[in-house]
Amino acid sequence: MSSYPTILVFDSGLGGLTVLREIVKARPDAHYIYAADDAFFPYGAHSEDALIARVVPLIGELIAAHAPDLVVIACNTASTLVLSHLRAQYRVPFVGTVPAIKPACARSTTKRVSVLGTSGTVKREYTHALIRDFAQSCTVTLVGSAHLASLAEAALGGAAIADREILAEIAPCFVDNADAALRTDAVVLACTHYPLLLERMIALAPWPVAWIDPAPAIARRVADLLGPAGGEPDHAGAEMIFTSGRTHPLTGALAPYFGGRVLA
Ligand code: DGL
């Protein structure tokens, strides 16, 4: 590996930028390729078979084209399904993004945790196994959102999103109880798009909860695998690829996610 590793960050759309921004902080010296499969967005709407058939060869093409040192699947909907297939097929190390159920349950004092993800992620056997293995004594409520990822994309693109649209998606996370000591106090952000709306969700929440975003932990995992940063921060650029073929200027809205890099 050269002193400047190439890291490929992959998502169905722009949600993986919330993971990218943490990785860039941990490895400011790396080259970044951000690939968004926007031609197939949203992943939450596709069957498991269709997603496996789509993502596994697509990642193979990206590996062949860019020779990354490490690939981050910055998408829960894909990671909970295709990680084992990717690891079986390609030699490059993969880091996935899966629902942060263990840390959420450890953090909860009411032992009432909700997992907010796409309808695909909350149905996955992988997610159910995480609950069986790590929820300990917590009651976990799975909330599958059909629209929140698309709302987050639209908001990032500058569209005005009404409070009621966001509230309708997050409301089922808040399991109430006359006794405040028995109501939900932690919500797992089990889709990388959702941190894009975090401030809105905090403001709209019927009561305060801990919002659990695994992105910093994913960045630590990447840094552990690649070793400590070496050399100067790479301001030479980063690449952004959209499978639809569109080009996206690095607008003011996206620049912070790339640590201020200029896109090639
Ligand atoms: N960002 C993806 C995730 O973490 C999902 C968005 C989609 O449905 O495509 O699950």
Side-chain angles (χ1 to χ4, degrees), residues 11-12 15-16 41-45 74-78 118 121 149 190-193:
D11 183 31
S12 58
F41 179 88
Y43 275 8
C75 175
N76 293 259
T77 314
T118 66
T121 296
C191 169
T192 54
H193 280 75

Side-chain angles (χ1 to χ4, degrees), residues 6-256:
T6 295
I7 301 174
L8 170 66
V9 179
F10 176 84
D11 183 31
S12 58
L14 299 175
L17 293 174
T18 65
V19 179
L20 174 78
R21 77 179 154 194
E22 296 302 322
I23 301 171
V24 168
K25 283 186 218 159
R27 284 302 304 243
D29 58 320
H31 290 279
Y32 288 94
I33 295 158
Y34 185 91
D37 188 12
D38 63 330
F40 215 57
F41 179 88
Y43 275 8
H46 293 290
S47 72
E48 298 197 346
D49 286 348
L51 272 181
I52 293 167
R54 169 76 180 184
V55 176
V56 176
L58 176 56
I59 294 292
E61 286 167 30
L62 289 165
I63 291 171
H66 302 283
D69 296 289
L70 184 143
V71 178
V72 180
I73 305 297
C75 175
N76 293 259
T77 314
S79 294
T80 50
L81 187 63
V82 301
L83 267 181
S84 55
H85 298 266
L86 294 173
R87 289 186 173 127
Q89 203 143 332
Y90 309 114
R91 292 166 61 95
V92 61
F94 287 93
V95 176
T97 311
V98 300
I101 288 161
K102 189 177 181 183
C105 290
R107 170 110 180 237
S108 171
T109 46
T110 64
K111 298 298 166 198
R112 304 287 190 278
V113 166
S114 292
V115 176
L116 179 62
T118 66
S119 31
T121 296
V122 300
K123 272 191 244 148
R124 299 268 186 270
E125 170 50 29
Y126 193 109
T127 303
H128 298 168
L130 286 177
I131 293 170
R132 280 198 303 275
D133 294 346
F134 299 117
Q136 300 141 11
S137 54
C138 268
T139 302
V140 177
T141 302
L142 289 168
V143 178
S145 166
H147 306 296
L148 205 50
S150 299
L151 294 175
E153 291 258 328
L156 189 59
I161 308 297
D163 284 351
R164 68 180 152 68
E165 292 185 83
I166 297 173
L167 191 54
E169 301 295 307
I170 68 170
C173 293
F174 293 84
V175 181
D176 207 350
N177 191 294
D179 181 354
L182 292 177
R183 64 190 189 187
T184 308
D185 70 349
V187 176
V188 178
L189 296 168
C191 169
T192 54
H193 280 75
Y194 302 167
L196 294 170
L197 293 173
L198 184 56
E199 284 176 23
R200 301 280 305 272
M201 295 195 291
I202 290 170
L204 290 166
W207 60 81
V209 293
W211 299 89
I212 311 295
D213 178 2
I218 294 161
R220 284 195 296 276
R221 176 77 186 134
V222 169
D224 282 351
L225 286 172
L226 290 176
E232 294 297 308
D234 176 12
H235 293 300
E239 259 181 84
M240 201 165 183
I241 297 161
F242 290 90
T243 54
S244 65
R246 74 175 164 138
T247 50
H248 196 298
L250 186 61
T251 61
L254 299 192

